[in-house]
Amino acid sequence: MTTCPYSQKKVTYLIPIKELRTEEDFLNIHTWLADMRKNSPVRFDESRQCWDIFLYEDVDAIFRNSKEFSSVRKFHAPTPLRSILNMDPPEHTKLRKLVSKAFTPRALSKLGPRIEELSNELIQQALPSGKIDVVNEYAYSLTINMLVNLLGVPEKDSELFKTWSADLLASPKDASDEAYNASVSHVKETMDKVDSYLLTIINERRESPQEDLITELTQAEIDGEHLTDEEILDFAGILLQAGFGTTARLITNFVRSMLENPGLFEKLKNDSSLINPAMEEVLRLYPSIYRTTRYAKESFTIRDQTIHEGDEIQLWVASANRDEAIFDQPNTFLIDRKPNQHLAFGKGIHFCLGSSLARLEAKIAIEVFVKNVSSIQLLDTQLKPIRSMVANGLEELNISIQP
């Protein structure tokens, strides 16, 4: 990471947005996003010192244009979003080519049986009680276990990964400098714990290679040179943050959609081939992240607003995916929506590397769920959204289930 004159800038995702302060605000976030698309599609937020972009056309164009918009952070910051997410070509191209080997169809095919086995175990454990917290007893349990299997870390430590992931995304309690500084310190402390833990695993794999991703990374070469410990740590850290939390939220949001759309559960139960198109609609309506970041490489004008070189730009995927100019009935779940060009996994050179794994895990998880359960009903009196400036999901989702 490079330090520059902007080094004192606060980390944007740790600064509360004035319109998103309460649980009610997050539950009604799409009302706010619709208002922004209509009245302020491009705005500069003084408190966060960044631009917010809300329309599909603009978000899509910036995603595709890596020549004029950079992913490299313009300031030093204690944040887990490092490595390949914050690289531009040619470094990004080289590392992406290397790590993409872990997500080939052949590599993923080996994971399918374990995903199905674990999904069945989790559902069978819950059925006798007649209820399940989809977030914590199904989605997270499944994706954490798959992550530790992929990385090659002990399954007994899976709960550590869940705790660390939550700590890295937690927002400050309020908009005060004190709350912000406390969050930054907590993030830094958590990152140190993650790095220390993973460094031990990396050293063990160098001494005693196994069939796991960390071993592959220790043995891999780019331009004849092995990856450094820091490069391996950064990539493993990305998997920790983006590799299971986002997929867990996809699974949770899928079940949420079945609860919100009468008849959808029965359709999927009667015809499992509908799970894939239904998943794409879930990804459109409830992408696992609200937004992502780019930086302007040069000054430009967009919708009568001048964005200057070096300015930070927040691309609101959750808004673009419900843009009325692109999607017919944007707030309605249409299982047969065609085309469905949502931006849940981004576009361009930074298109989500783990999208195939996320879709595979979610598909199998939902297949197993609808196969083993005959009916579902929401038990929570009100949904509990994650109060994060990034993560689009629920803290818990308690439902009744019948075998």
Side-chain angles (χ1 to χ4, degrees), residues 285-305:
L285 285 166
Y286 297 114
S288 293
I289 61 168
Y290 288 120
R291 59 190 176 86
T292 190
T293 308
R294 294 292 186 271
Y295 302 92
K297 290 185 178 181
E298 56 188 52
S299 298
F300 71 103
T301 299
I302 179 172
R303 302 194 187 277
D304 298 324
Q305 300 284 348

Side-chain angles (χ1 to χ4, degrees), residues 170-375:
S171 297
K173 294 180 180 180
D174 54 55
S176 67
D177 287 343
E178 182 181 7
Y180 172 82
N181 291 332
S183 288
V184 169
S185 296
H186 191 58
V187 167
K188 179 65 168 61
E189 180 183 341
T190 302
M191 287 170 59
D192 288 343
K193 290 179 182 177
V194 173
D195 286 352
S196 177
Y197 177 92
L198 291 174
L199 188 58
T200 300
I201 302 295
I202 290 168
N203 290 329
E204 288 176 357
R205 294 301 180 269
R206 284 204 170 102
E207 292 293 325
S208 179
Q210 298 185 22
E211 292 185 5
D212 56 46
L213 183 55
I214 289 183
T215 297
E216 288 185 25
L217 291 172
T218 61
Q219 296 175 344
E221 295 182 6
I222 296 181
D223 295 336
E225 294 184 5
H226 287 287
L227 297 178
T228 64
D229 285 349
E230 183 178 3
E231 287 170 329
I232 298 173
L233 283 172
D234 282 353
F235 180 65
I238 290 297
L239 281 181
L240 167 62
Q241 189 48 56
F244 80 89
T246 52
T247 306
R249 294 195 292 275
L250 169 55
I251 295 169
T252 301
N253 290 335
F254 206 139
V255 177
R256 173 183 181 174
S257 296
M258 290 193 287
L259 292 164
E260 292 177 340
N261 295 276
L264 177 58
F265 174 78
E266 288 73 18
K267 284 183 180 179
L268 300 180
K269 193 169 184 63
N270 293 329
D271 186 357
S272 62
S273 70
L274 295 175
I275 290 177
N276 279 335
M279 187 192 312
E280 298 309 308
E281 189 68 339
V282 172
L283 285 163
R284 185 188 68 82
L285 285 166
Y286 297 114
S288 293
I289 61 168
Y290 288 120
R291 59 190 176 86
T292 190
T293 308
R294 294 292 186 271
Y295 302 92
K297 290 185 178 181
E298 56 188 52
S299 298
F300 71 103
T301 299
I302 179 172
R303 302 194 187 277
D304 298 324
Q305 300 284 348
T306 300
I307 297 179
H308 297 286
E309 179 184 356
D311 282 359
E312 180 176 340
I313 304 166
Q314 294 296 317
L315 304 176
W316 283 85
V317 173
S319 175
N321 278 358
R322 297 197 186 205
D323 191 331
E324 300 81 355
I326 303 297
F327 300 99
D328 182 42
Q329 302 179 66
N331 297 312
T332 302
F333 189 105
L334 300 178
I335 198 170
D336 57 351
R337 183 181 296 277
K338 291 181 181 179
N340 191 349
Q341 62 267 39
H342 63 74
L343 300 176
F345 292 122
K347 283 281 181 72
I349 66 169
H350 282 280
F351 182 80
C352 178
L353 194 60
S355 60
S356 295
L357 177 57
R359 284 184 167 110
L360 177 67
E361 285 192 59
K363 179 177 184 291
I364 295 175
I366 297 301
E367 282 178 342
V368 170
F369 184 89
V370 299
K371 179 181 179 182
N372 284 279
V373 175
S374 62
S375 65

Side-chain angles (χ1 to χ4, degrees), residues 34-211:
D35 179 67
M36 298 308 292
R37 286 194 300 274
K38 180 179 179 181
N39 298 309
S40 189
V42 177
R43 71 144 186 197
F44 185 74
D45 187 330
E46 291 286 351
S47 64
R48 292 155 57 234
Q49 288 294 296
C50 70
W51 293 91
D52 290 312
I53 308 289
F54 295 99
L55 296 181
Y56 184 102
E57 180 182 3
D58 300 334
V59 173
D60 181 61
I62 294 174
F63 267 145
R64 294 174 182 271
N65 189 351
S66 61
K67 291 184 178 180
E68 297 179 19
F69 299 96
S70 172
S71 295
V72 178
R73 189 186 302 112
K74 302 305 177 185
F75 55 94
H76 182 75
T79 166
L81 304 181
R82 306 173 292 185
S83 189
I84 196 170
L85 292 183
N86 295 117
M87 286 183 180
D88 288 337
E91 293 82 5
H92 171 270
T93 307
K94 293 177 181 178
L95 188 57
R96 185 181 178 95
K97 183 178 180 180
L98 171 66
V99 299
S100 65
K101 295 176 183 177
F103 302 102
T104 63
R106 181 180 178 184
L108 295 180
S109 67
K110 298 178 181 178
L111 300 176
R114 177 56 182 157
I115 297 171
E116 183 174 3
E117 178 185 30
L118 187 55
S119 298
N120 272 301
E121 288 177 7
L122 294 169
I123 288 295
Q124 293 305 319
Q125 288 172 12
L127 279 172
S129 69
K131 61 182 180 179
I132 189 172
D133 176 355
V134 176
V135 176
N136 298 295
E137 296 175 354
Y138 192 55
Y140 271 113
S141 294
L142 171 62
T143 57
I144 289 172
N145 272 275
M146 292 312 302
L147 174 67
V148 299
N149 271 270
L150 184 65
L151 286 176
V153 301
E155 287 193 17
K156 64 181 179 63
D157 294 335
S158 60
E159 281 301 310
L160 279 175
F161 280 69
K162 180 184 174 185
T163 301
W164 289 336
S165 179
D167 288 347
L168 291 172
L169 277 179
S171 297
K173 294 180 180 180
D174 54 55
S176 67
D177 287 343
E178 182 181 7
Y180 172 82
N181 291 332
S183 288
V184 169
S185 296
H186 191 58
V187 167
K188 179 65 168 61
E189 180 183 341
T190 302
M191 287 170 59
D192 288 343
K193 290 179 182 177
V194 173
D195 286 352
S196 177
Y197 177 92
L198 291 174
L199 188 58
T200 300
I201 302 295
I202 290 168
N203 290 329
E204 288 176 357
R205 294 301 180 269
R206 284 204 170 102
E207 292 293 325
S208 179
Q210 298 185 22
E211 292 185 5

